[in-house]
Coordinates of all heavy atoms in Angstrom, one line a residue:
M1 N 51.6 77.8 157.0 CA 52.2 76.8 156.1 C 52.1 75.4 156.8 O 52.5 75.3 157.9 CB 53.6 77.2 155.7 CG 54.1 76.3 154.6 SD 55.8 76.9 154.1 CE 56.7 75.4 154.3
M2 N 51.7 74.4 156.0 CA 51.6 73.1 156.6 C 53.0 72.4 156.5 O 53.6 72.5 155.5 CB 50.6 72.3 155.8 CG 50.1 71.1 156.5 SD 48.6 70.4 155.8 CE 47.4 71.7 156.1
T3 N 53.4 71.7 157.5 CA 54.6 70.9 157.5 C 54.4 69.5 157.0 O 53.4 68.9 157.4 CB 55.2 70.9 158.9 OG1 55.3 72.2 159.5 CG2 56.6 70.2 158.9
H4 N 55.3 69.1 156.1 CA 55.2 67.7 155.6 C 56.3 66.9 156.1 O 57.4 67.4 156.3 CB 55.3 67.8 154.0 CG 54.1 68.5 153.4 ND1 54.1 69.9 153.4 CD2 53.0 68.1 152.8 CE1 52.9 70.3 152.8 NE2 52.3 69.2 152.4
F5 N 56.0 65.6 156.3 CA 57.0 64.7 156.9 C 57.1 63.4 156.1 O 56.2 63.0 155.4 CB 56.6 64.2 158.3 CG 56.4 65.4 159.3 CD1 55.2 66.0 159.4 CD2 57.4 65.8 160.1 CE1 55.0 67.1 160.3 CE2 57.3 66.8 161.0 CZ 56.0 67.5 161.1
I6 N 58.3 62.8 156.2 CA 58.5 61.5 155.5 C 59.6 60.7 156.3 O 60.4 61.3 156.9 CB 58.9 61.7 154.0 CG1 58.7 60.4 153.2 CG2 60.3 62.3 153.9 CD1 58.7 60.5 151.7
Q7 N 59.6 59.4 156.1 CA 60.6 58.6 156.7 C 62.0 59.0 156.2 O 62.1 59.3 155.0 CB 60.4 57.1 156.4 CG 59.2 56.5 157.0 CD 59.0 55.0 156.6 OE1 59.8 54.5 155.8 NE2 57.9 54.5 157.0
K8 N 63.0 58.9 157.0 CA 64.4 59.0 156.5 C 64.9 57.7 155.9 O 64.3 56.6 156.3 CB 65.3 59.4 157.7 CG 65.2 60.9 158.1 CD 66.2 61.2 159.1 CE 66.9 62.5 158.8 NZ 67.9 62.8 159.8
G9 N 65.9 57.8 155.1 CA 66.3 56.6 154.4 C 67.2 55.7 155.2 O 67.5 54.6 154.8
N10 N 67.7 56.2 156.4 CA 68.6 55.4 157.2 C 68.0 54.6 158.2 O 68.5 54.3 159.3 CB 69.6 56.4 157.9 CG 68.8 57.4 158.8 OD1 67.7 57.7 158.5 ND2 69.5 57.9 159.8
V11 N 66.8 54.0 157.9 CA 65.9 53.4 158.9 C 65.4 52.0 158.3 O 65.1 51.9 157.2 CB 64.7 54.3 159.2 CG1 63.8 53.6 160.1 CG2 65.2 55.6 159.8
E12 N 65.5 51.1 159.2 CA 64.8 49.8 158.9 C 63.8 49.5 159.9 O 63.9 49.8 161.1 CB 65.9 48.7 158.9 CG 66.9 48.8 157.8 CD 67.9 47.6 157.9 OE1 67.6 46.5 158.3 OE2 69.1 47.9 157.4
A13 N 62.7 48.9 159.4 CA 61.5 48.6 160.3 C 61.0 47.2 160.1 O 61.0 46.7 159.0 CB 60.4 49.7 160.1
T14 N 60.5 46.7 161.2 CA 59.9 45.4 161.2 C 58.7 45.3 162.1 O 58.7 46.0 163.2 CB 60.9 44.2 161.4 OG1 60.2 43.0 161.2 CG2 61.4 44.3 162.9
E15 N 57.7 44.6 161.8 CA 56.5 44.4 162.6 C 56.6 43.1 163.4 O 56.9 42.1 162.7 CB 55.2 44.5 161.8 CG 54.0 44.5 162.7 CD 52.7 44.7 161.9 OE1 52.7 44.6 160.7 OE2 51.6 44.8 162.6
L16 N 56.4 43.1 164.7 CA 56.6 41.9 165.5 C 55.5 41.9 166.5 O 55.4 42.8 167.4 CB 57.9 41.9 166.1 CG 58.4 40.7 166.8 CD1 58.5 39.5 165.9 CD2 59.7 40.9 167.6
D17 N 54.6 41.0 166.4 CA 53.5 40.8 167.4 C 52.7 42.1 167.6 O 52.4 42.5 168.8 CB 54.0 40.3 168.8 CG 54.6 38.9 168.7 OD1 54.2 38.1 167.8 OD2 55.6 38.6 169.4
G18 N 52.3 42.8 166.5 CA 51.5 44.0 166.6 C 52.3 45.3 167.0 O 51.7 46.3 167.2
E19 N 53.6 45.1 167.2 CA 54.4 46.3 167.5 C 55.4 46.5 166.4 O 55.8 45.5 165.7 CB 55.2 46.2 168.8 CG 54.3 46.2 170.1 CD 55.1 46.1 171.3 OE1 56.2 45.4 171.4 OE2 54.7 46.7 172.3
W20 N 55.9 47.7 166.2 CA 56.9 48.0 165.2 C 58.2 48.3 165.9 O 58.2 49.0 166.9 CB 56.4 49.2 164.4 CG 55.4 48.9 163.4 CD1 54.0 48.7 163.6 CD2 55.6 48.6 162.0 NE1 53.4 48.4 162.4 CE2 54.3 48.3 161.4 CE3 56.7 48.6 161.2 CZ2 54.1 48.0 160.1 CZ3 56.5 48.3 159.8 CH2 55.3 48.0 159.3
I21 N 59.2 47.7 165.4 CA 60.6 48.0 165.8 C 61.3 48.8 164.7 O 61.4 48.3 163.6 CB 61.4 46.7 166.1 CG1 60.5 45.7 167.0 CG2 62.7 47.0 166.7 CD1 60.2 46.2 168.3
I22 N 61.8 50.0 165.0 CA 62.4 50.9 164.1 C 63.9 51.0 164.4 O 64.2 51.4 165.6 CB 61.8 52.3 164.1 CG1 60.2 52.2 164.1 CG2 62.3 53.1 162.9 CD1 59.6 51.6 162.9
L23 N 64.7 50.6 163.5 CA 66.2 50.7 163.7 C 66.8 51.8 162.9 O 66.6 51.9 161.7 CB 66.8 49.4 163.3 CG 68.4 49.3 163.3 CD1 68.9 49.5 164.8 CD2 68.9 48.0 162.7
N24 N 67.4 52.8 163.6 CA 68.1 53.9 163.0 C 69.6 53.4 162.7 O 70.3 53.2 163.7 CB 68.1 55.1 163.8 CG 68.8 56.3 163.2 OD1 69.8 56.1 162.5 ND2 68.3 57.5 163.4
T25 N 69.9 53.1 161.5 CA 71.2 52.5 161.2 C 72.4 53.4 161.3 O 73.5 53.0 161.3 CB 71.2 51.8 159.8 OG1 70.8 52.8 158.8 CG2 70.2 50.7 159.8
E26 N 72.1 54.7 161.4 CA 73.2 55.7 161.5 C 73.5 55.9 163.0 O 74.6 56.1 163.4 CB 72.8 57.0 160.9 CG 73.0 57.0 159.3 CD 72.6 58.4 158.7 OE1 72.3 59.3 159.5 OE2 72.7 58.5 157.5
Q27 N 72.4 56.1 163.8 CA 72.6 56.4 165.2 C 72.6 55.1 166.1 O 72.7 55.2 167.3 CB 71.6 57.4 165.7 CG 71.6 58.7 164.9 CD 70.6 59.7 165.4 OE1 69.8 59.4 166.3 NE2 70.5 60.8 164.7
Y28 N 72.3 54.0 165.5 CA 72.2 52.7 166.3 C 71.2 52.8 167.4 O 71.5 52.4 168.5 CB 73.6 52.3 166.8 CG 74.6 52.2 165.6 CD1 75.6 53.1 165.5 CD2 74.6 51.1 164.7 CE1 76.5 53.0 164.4 CE2 75.5 51.0 163.7 CZ 76.4 51.9 163.5 OH 77.3 51.8 162.5
T29 N 70.1 53.3 167.1 CA 69.0 53.4 168.1 C 67.8 52.5 167.7 O 67.6 52.2 166.5 CB 68.5 54.8 168.3 OG1 68.0 55.3 167.0 CG2 69.6 55.7 168.8
I30 N 67.1 52.0 168.6 CA 65.9 51.2 168.4 C 64.7 51.9 169.0 O 64.8 52.3 170.2 CB 66.0 49.8 169.0 CG1 67.2 49.0 168.2 CG2 64.7 49.0 168.8 CD1 67.5 47.7 168.8
T31 N 63.7 52.0 168.2 CA 62.4 52.7 168.7 C 61.3 51.7 168.5 O 61.2 51.1 167.5 CB 62.1 54.0 167.9 OG1 63.3 54.8 168.0 CG2 60.9 54.7 168.4
K32 N 60.5 51.5 169.6 CA 59.4 50.6 169.5 C 58.1 51.4 169.5 O 57.9 52.3 170.2 CB 59.4 49.7 170.8 CG 58.7 48.4 170.7 CD 59.3 47.4 171.7 CE 58.3 47.2 172.8 NZ 58.7 46.2 173.7
L33 N 57.2 51.0 168.5 CA 55.9 51.7 168.3 C 54.7 50.7 168.6 O 54.8 49.5 168.2 CB 55.8 52.2 166.9 CG 56.9 53.1 166.4 CD1 56.7 53.5 165.0 CD2 57.0 54.4 167.3
N34 N 53.7 51.2 169.1 CA 52.4 50.4 169.2 C 51.7 50.4 167.9 O 52.2 50.9 166.9 CB 51.6 51.0 170.4 CG 51.0 52.4 170.1 OD1 51.1 52.9 169.0 ND2 50.5 53.0 171.1
G35 N 50.5 49.8 167.9 CA 49.8 49.7 166.7 C 49.5 51.0 166.0 O 49.6 51.1 164.7
A36 N 49.0 52.0 166.7 CA 48.7 53.3 166.1 C 50.0 53.9 165.6 O 50.0 54.5 164.5 CB 48.0 54.2 167.1
G37 N 51.0 53.9 166.4 CA 52.3 54.4 165.9 C 52.8 53.7 164.7 O 53.3 54.3 163.8
G38 N 52.6 52.4 164.6 CA 53.0 51.6 163.5 C 52.2 52.0 162.2 O 52.8 52.0 161.1
L39 N 50.9 52.3 162.4 CA 50.1 52.7 161.3 C 50.7 54.0 160.7 O 50.9 54.2 159.5 CB 48.7 52.8 161.7 CG 47.7 53.5 160.6 CD1 47.7 52.6 159.3 CD2 46.3 53.7 161.1
C40 N 50.9 55.0 161.6 CA 51.5 56.2 161.2 C 52.8 56.0 160.5 O 53.1 56.6 159.5 CB 51.7 57.2 162.4 SG 50.2 57.8 163.1
W41 N 53.7 55.2 161.1 CA 55.0 54.9 160.5 C 54.8 54.4 159.1 O 55.5 54.8 158.2 CB 55.8 53.9 161.4 CG 57.0 53.5 160.8 CD1 57.3 52.4 160.1 CD2 58.2 54.4 160.7 NE1 58.6 52.4 159.6 CE2 59.2 53.6 160.0 CE3 58.5 55.6 161.1 CZ2 60.4 54.2 159.7 CZ3 59.8 56.1 160.8 CH2 60.7 55.4 160.1
S42 N 54.0 53.4 158.9 CA 53.8 52.8 157.6 C 53.3 53.8 156.6 O 53.7 53.8 155.4 CB 52.9 51.6 157.6 OG 51.6 51.9 158.0
L43 N 52.5 54.8 157.0 CA 52.0 55.8 156.1 C 53.1 56.8 155.8 O 53.0 57.5 154.7 CB 50.8 56.6 156.8 CG 49.5 55.7 156.9 CD1 48.5 56.5 157.8 CD2 48.9 55.4 155.6
L44 N 54.1 57.0 156.7 CA 55.1 57.9 156.4 C 56.2 57.5 155.4 O 57.1 58.2 155.2 CB 55.9 58.2 157.8 CG 55.1 59.2 158.7 CD1 55.6 59.1 160.1 CD2 55.2 60.6 158.2
N45 N 55.9 56.4 154.7 CA 56.8 56.0 153.6 C 56.4 56.9 152.4 O 57.2 57.0 151.4 CB 56.7 54.5 153.2 CG 55.3 54.2 152.7 OD1 54.3 54.9 152.8 ND2 55.2 53.0 152.1
K46 N 55.3 57.7 152.5 CA 55.0 58.7 151.6 C 54.8 60.0 152.4 O 54.6 60.0 153.6 CB 53.7 58.4 150.8 CG 53.8 57.2 149.9 CD 52.5 57.0 149.1 CE 52.7 55.9 148.1 NZ 51.9 54.8 148.3
I47 N 54.9 61.1 151.7 CA 54.8 62.4 152.4 C 53.4 62.5 153.1 O 52.4 62.3 152.5 CB 55.0 63.6 151.4 CG1 56.5 63.5 150.9 CG2 54.7 64.9 152.1 CD1 56.7 64.5 149.8
Q48 N 53.4 62.9 154.4 CA 52.2 63.1 155.2 C 52.3 64.4 155.9 O 53.4 65.0 156.1 CB 52.1 62.0 156.2 CG 52.1 60.6 155.6 CD 50.8 60.3 154.9 OE1 49.7 60.9 155.2 NE2 50.8 59.3 154.0
T49 N 51.1 64.9 156.4 CA 51.0 66.0 157.3 C 50.3 65.5 158.6 O 49.8 64.4 158.7 CB 50.2 67.1 156.7 OG1 48.8 66.6 156.5 CG2 50.7 67.6 155.3
V50 N 50.3 66.4 159.6 CA 49.6 66.1 160.8 C 48.1 65.7 160.5 O 47.6 64.8 161.0 CB 49.6 67.3 161.8 CG1 48.7 67.1 163.0 CG2 51.1 67.5 162.3
D51 N 47.5 66.5 159.6 CA 46.1 66.3 159.2 C 45.9 65.0 158.5 O 44.9 64.3 158.8 CB 45.6 67.5 158.4 CG 45.4 68.7 159.2 OD1 45.3 68.6 160.5 OD2 45.3 69.8 158.7
T52 N 46.8 64.6 157.6 CA 46.5 63.4 156.8 C 46.7 62.2 157.8 O 45.9 61.2 157.7 CB 47.5 63.2 155.6 OG1 48.8 63.3 156.0 CG2 47.2 64.3 154.6
L53 N 47.7 62.2 158.7 CA 47.9 61.1 159.6 C 46.7 61.1 160.6 O 46.2 60.0 160.9 CB 49.2 61.3 160.4 CG 50.4 61.1 159.5 CD1 51.7 61.4 160.3 CD2 50.5 59.6 159.1
T54 N 46.2 62.2 161.1 CA 45.1 62.3 162.0 C 43.9 61.7 161.4 O 43.2 60.8 162.0 CB 44.8 63.7 162.5 OG1 46.0 64.2 163.1 CG2 43.6 63.8 163.4
N55 N 43.6 62.1 160.1 CA 42.4 61.5 159.4 C 42.5 60.0 159.2 O 41.5 59.3 159.3 CB 42.2 62.2 158.1 CG 41.8 63.7 158.3 OD1 41.3 64.1 159.3 ND2 42.1 64.5 157.3
S56 N 43.7 59.5 158.9 CA 43.9 58.1 158.8 C 43.6 57.3 160.1 O 43.0 56.3 160.1 CB 45.3 57.8 158.3 OG 45.5 58.3 157.0
L57 N 44.1 57.9 161.2 CA 43.9 57.2 162.5 C 42.4 57.3 162.9 O 41.8 56.3 163.4 CB 44.7 57.9 163.6 CG 46.2 57.6 163.5 CD1 47.0 58.5 164.5 CD2 46.5 56.1 163.8
V58 N 41.7 58.4 162.6 CA 40.3 58.6 163.0 C 39.5 57.5 162.2 O 38.6 56.8 162.7 CB 39.8 60.0 162.7 CG1 38.3 60.1 162.6 CG2 40.4 61.0 163.7
K59 N 39.9 57.4 160.9 CA 39.2 56.4 160.0 C 39.5 55.0 160.5 O 38.5 54.1 160.6 CB 39.6 56.6 158.6 CG 38.9 55.7 157.6 CD 39.4 56.0 156.2 CE 38.7 55.1 155.2 NZ 39.3 55.2 153.9
E60 N 40.7 54.6 160.8 CA 41.1 53.3 161.2 C 40.4 52.8 162.5 O 40.0 51.7 162.6 CB 42.6 53.2 161.3 CG 43.1 51.9 161.8 CD 43.1 50.7 160.8 OE1 42.9 51.0 159.6 OE2 43.1 49.6 161.2
Y61 N 40.4 53.8 163.4 CA 39.9 53.4 164.8 C 38.5 53.9 165.0 O 38.0 53.8 166.1 CB 40.9 53.9 165.8 CG 42.2 53.2 165.8 CD1 43.3 53.9 165.2 CD2 42.3 51.9 166.2 CE1 44.5 53.2 165.1 CE2 43.6 51.3 166.2 CZ 44.7 51.9 165.6 OH 45.9 51.3 165.5
K62 N 37.9 54.5 164.0 CA 36.5 55.0 164.0 C 36.3 55.9 165.3 O 35.5 55.6 166.1 CB 35.5 53.8 164.1 CG 35.5 53.0 162.8 CD 34.7 51.7 162.9 CE 34.7 50.9 161.6 NZ 36.0 50.5 161.1
A63 N 37.2 56.9 165.4 CA 37.3 57.7 166.6 C 37.0 59.2 166.3 O 37.8 60.0 166.7 CB 38.7 57.5 167.2
V64 N 36.0 59.4 165.5 CA 35.7 60.8 165.1 C 35.5 61.7 166.3 O 36.0 62.9 166.3 CB 34.4 60.9 164.3 CG1 34.0 62.3 164.0 CG2 34.6 60.1 163.0
Q65 N 35.0 61.2 167.4 CA 34.7 62.1 168.6 C 36.1 62.5 169.3 O 36.1 63.4 170.1 CB 33.8 61.4 169.6 CG 34.3 60.2 170.3 CD 34.2 58.9 169.5 OE1 33.9 58.9 168.3 NE2 34.6 57.8 170.1
N66 N 37.1 61.7 169.0 CA 38.4 62.0 169.6 C 39.4 62.7 168.7 O 40.6 62.7 169.0 CB 39.0 60.7 170.1 CG 38.2 60.0 171.2 OD1 37.5 60.7 172.0 ND2 38.2 58.7 171.2
K67 N 38.9 63.3 167.6 CA 39.8 63.8 166.6 C 40.8 64.8 167.1 O 42.0 64.8 166.8 CB 39.0 64.4 165.5 CG 39.9 64.8 164.3 CD 39.1 65.2 163.1 CE 40.0 65.4 161.9 NZ 39.3 65.7 160.7
E68 N 40.4 65.7 168.0 CA 41.3 66.8 168.5 C 42.4 66.1 169.4 O 43.6 66.5 169.2 CB 40.5 67.7 169.4 CG 40.6 69.2 169.0 CD 41.4 69.6 167.8 OE1 40.9 69.6 166.7 OE2 42.6 70.0 168.0
Q69 N 42.1 65.1 170.2 CA 43.1 64.5 171.0 C 44.1 63.7 170.1 O 45.3 63.7 170.3 CB 42.4 63.5 172.0 CG 43.4 62.8 172.9 CD 44.3 63.7 173.7 OE1 43.7 64.5 174.4 NE2 45.6 63.6 173.7
I70 N 43.5 63.0 169.1 CA 44.4 62.3 168.2 C 45.3 63.2 167.5 O 46.5 62.9 167.3 CB 43.5 61.5 167.2 CG1 42.8 60.3 167.9 CG2 44.4 60.9 166.0 CD1 41.7 59.6 167.1
K71 N 44.8 64.4 167.1 CA 45.7 65.3 166.4 C 46.9 65.8 167.3 O 48.0 65.8 166.9 CB 44.9 66.6 166.0 CG 45.7 67.6 165.2 CD 44.9 68.7 164.6 CE 45.7 69.6 163.7 NZ 44.9 70.6 163.1
Q72 N 46.6 66.0 168.6 CA 47.6 66.4 169.5 C 48.6 65.2 169.7 O 49.8 65.5 169.7 CB 47.0 66.7 170.9 CG 46.3 68.0 170.9 CD 45.6 68.3 172.3 OE1 45.8 67.5 173.3 NE2 44.7 69.2 172.3
D73 N 48.1 64.0 169.8 CA 49.0 62.9 169.9 C 49.9 62.7 168.7 O 51.1 62.4 168.8 CB 48.2 61.6 170.1 CG 47.4 61.5 171.4 OD1 47.8 62.4 172.3 OD2 46.5 60.7 171.6
V74 N 49.3 62.9 167.5 CA 50.1 62.8 166.2 C 51.2 63.9 166.2 O 52.3 63.6 165.8 CB 49.2 63.0 165.0 CG1 50.0 63.2 163.7 CG2 48.3 61.7 164.8
E75 N 50.9 65.1 166.6 CA 51.9 66.2 166.7 C 53.0 65.8 167.6 O 54.2 66.0 167.3 CB 51.2 67.5 167.1 CG 50.4 68.1 166.1 CD 49.5 69.3 166.6 OE1 49.5 69.5 167.8 OE2 49.0 70.0 165.7
E76 N 52.7 65.2 168.8 CA 53.7 64.8 169.7 C 54.6 63.6 169.1 O 55.8 63.6 169.3 CB 53.1 64.4 171.0 CG 54.1 64.1 172.1 CD 53.4 63.7 173.4 OE1 52.3 64.2 173.7 OE2 54.1 63.0 174.2
F77 N 53.9 62.7 168.5 CA 54.5 61.5 167.9 C 55.5 62.0 166.8 O 56.7 61.5 166.8 CB 53.4 60.6 167.3 CG 53.9 59.4 166.6 CD1 54.4 58.4 167.3 CD2 53.8 59.4 165.2 CE1 54.9 57.2 166.6 CE2 54.3 58.2 164.5 CZ 54.8 57.2 165.2
L78 N 55.1 62.9 166.0 CA 56.0 63.4 164.9 C 57.2 64.1 165.5 O 58.3 64.0 165.0 CB 55.2 64.3 163.9 CG 54.2 63.5 163.1 CD1 53.3 64.5 162.3 CD2 54.8 62.5 162.1
S79 N 56.9 64.9 166.5 CA 58.0 65.6 167.2 C 59.0 64.6 167.7 O 60.3 64.8 167.6 CB 57.5 66.5 168.3 OG 58.5 67.0 169.0
N80 N 58.5 63.5 168.4 CA 59.4 62.5 168.9 C 60.2 61.8 167.8 O 61.4 61.5 168.0 CB 58.6 61.5 169.8 CG 58.1 62.1 171.1 OD1 58.7 63.1 171.6 ND2 57.1 61.5 171.6
L81 N 59.5 61.4 166.7 CA 60.2 60.7 165.6 C 61.3 61.6 165.0 O 62.3 61.2 164.6 CB 59.2 60.3 164.6 CG 58.3 59.1 164.9 CD1 57.5 58.7 163.7 CD2 59.1 57.9 165.4
T82 N 61.0 62.9 164.9 CA 62.0 63.9 164.4 C 63.2 63.9 165.3 O 64.3 63.9 164.8 CB 61.3 65.3 164.2 OG1 60.2 65.2 163.3 CG2 62.3 66.3 163.6
E83 N 63.0 64.0 166.6 CA 64.1 64.1 167.6 C 64.9 62.8 167.5 O 66.1 62.8 167.7 CB 63.5 64.2 169.0 CG 63.1 65.6 169.4 CD 62.5 65.7 170.8 OE1 62.9 64.9 171.6 OE2 61.6 66.5 171.0
C84 N 64.3 61.7 167.2 CA 65.0 60.4 167.1 C 65.7 60.2 165.8 O 66.4 59.2 165.6 CB 64.0 59.2 167.3 SG 63.4 59.1 169.0
G85 N 65.5 61.2 164.9 CA 66.1 61.1 163.6 C 65.5 60.1 162.6 O 66.2 59.6 161.7
L86 N 64.2 59.8 162.8 CA 63.6 58.7 162.0 C 62.8 59.3 160.9 O 62.5 58.6 159.9 CB 62.7 57.9 162.9 CG 63.4 57.1 164.0 CD1 62.4 56.4 164.9 CD2 64.4 56.2 163.5
I87 N 62.4 60.6 161.0 CA 61.6 61.2 159.9 C 62.2 62.6 159.7 O 63.0 63.1 160.5 CB 60.1 61.4 160.2 CG1 59.9 62.2 161.5 CG2 59.5 60.0 160.3 CD1 58.4 62.5 161.7
E88 N 61.9 63.2 158.6 CA 62.4 64.6 158.3 C 61.3 65.4 157.7 O 60.3 64.9 157.2 CB 63.6 64.5 157.4 CG 63.3 63.8 156.0 CD 64.6 63.5 155.3 OE1 65.6 64.0 155.6 OE2 64.5 62.7 154.3
H89 N 61.5 66.7 157.8 CA 60.6 67.6 157.1 C 60.9 67.7 155.6 O 62.0 67.6 155.2 CB 60.8 69.1 157.7 CG 60.3 69.2 159.1 ND1 60.4 70.4 159.8 CD2 59.9 68.3 160.0 CE1 60.0 70.2 161.0 NE2 59.7 69.0 161.2
V90 N 59.8 67.8 154.9 CA 59.9 67.9 153.4 C 59.3 69.2 153.0 O 58.2 69.6 153.4 CB 59.2 66.8 152.7 CG1 59.3 66.9 151.2 CG2 59.7 65.4 153.2
N91 N 60.0 70.0 152.1 CA 59.5 71.2 151.6 C 58.7 70.9 150.4 O 59.1 70.3 149.4 CB 60.6 72.2 151.2 CG 61.3 72.7 152.5 OD1 60.7 72.9 153.5 ND2 62.6 72.8 152.3
R92 N 57.4 71.3 150.4 CA 56.5 71.2 149.2 C 56.4 72.5 148.5 O 56.2 73.5 149.1 CB 55.1 70.7 149.7 CG 55.1 69.3 150.3 CD 55.4 68.2 149.4 NE 54.6 68.1 148.3 CZ 53.6 67.2 148.1 NH1 53.3 66.3 149.0 NH2 52.9 67.2 147.0
L93 N 56.4 72.4 147.2 CA 56.3 73.7 146.4 C 54.8 73.9 146.1 O 54.1 73.0 146.0 CB 57.1 73.6 145.1 CG 58.6 73.5 145.4 CD1 59.3 73.4 144.0 CD2 59.1 74.7 146.1

């Protein structure tokens, strides 16, 4: 079964000089993301999977040859965002 993710509602984000600053308003934490992380973050305003995010990054950075590495990076990124309380799993029927 494929896991789906989406941003949590308790989060504010702003882009500053090519980096994203994510503020968790419940836990009072700040997370800084680079350009690729920011792209994933912006896509997570709608339900995404590891595969949809990987495909978006491959397309954006024209990195077809690195798809497997990108997928691993996306999985780790989503795990980190989940631990930080910035995204949540969504059950799809």
Side-chain angles (χ1 to χ4, degrees):
M1 186 174 128
M2 195 169 295
T3 306
H4 296 79
F5 300 89
I6 196 164
Q7 294 174 4
K8 283 184 135 182
N10 59 332
V11 175
E12 293 182 26
T14 187
E15 187 178 6
L16 188 66
D17 296 330
E19 292 184 323
W20 283 80
I21 309 297
I22 314 296
L23 173 65
N24 182 326
T25 55
E26 283 181 359
Q27 298 178 6
Y28 303 105
T29 58
I30 295 174
T31 304
K32 204 157 104 172
L33 305 176
N34 64 15
L39 174 62
C40 288
W41 175 257
S42 64
L43 293 170
L44 282 161
N45 67 347
K46 294 190 173 110
I47 295 172
Q48 300 289 335
T49 64
V50 169
D51 287 341
T52 60
L53 290 172
T54 299
N55 292 336
S56 294
L57 287 170
V58 166
K59 184 178 176 186
E60 176 72 18
Y61 295 104
K62 297 171 179 56
V64 175
Q65 70 278 10
N66 297 329
K67 187 171 184 175
E68 234 5 83
Q69 180 61 53
I70 291 170
K71 184 173 183 174
Q72 289 176 10
D73 292 346
V74 166
E75 288 170 347
E76 184 177 338
F77 177 73
L78 291 172
S79 174
N80 289 338
L81 287 185
T82 301
E83 283 178 29
C84 291
L86 299 177
I87 62 172
E88 59 190 345
H89 293 183
V90 178
N91 292 324
R92 296 293 303 253
L93 297 177

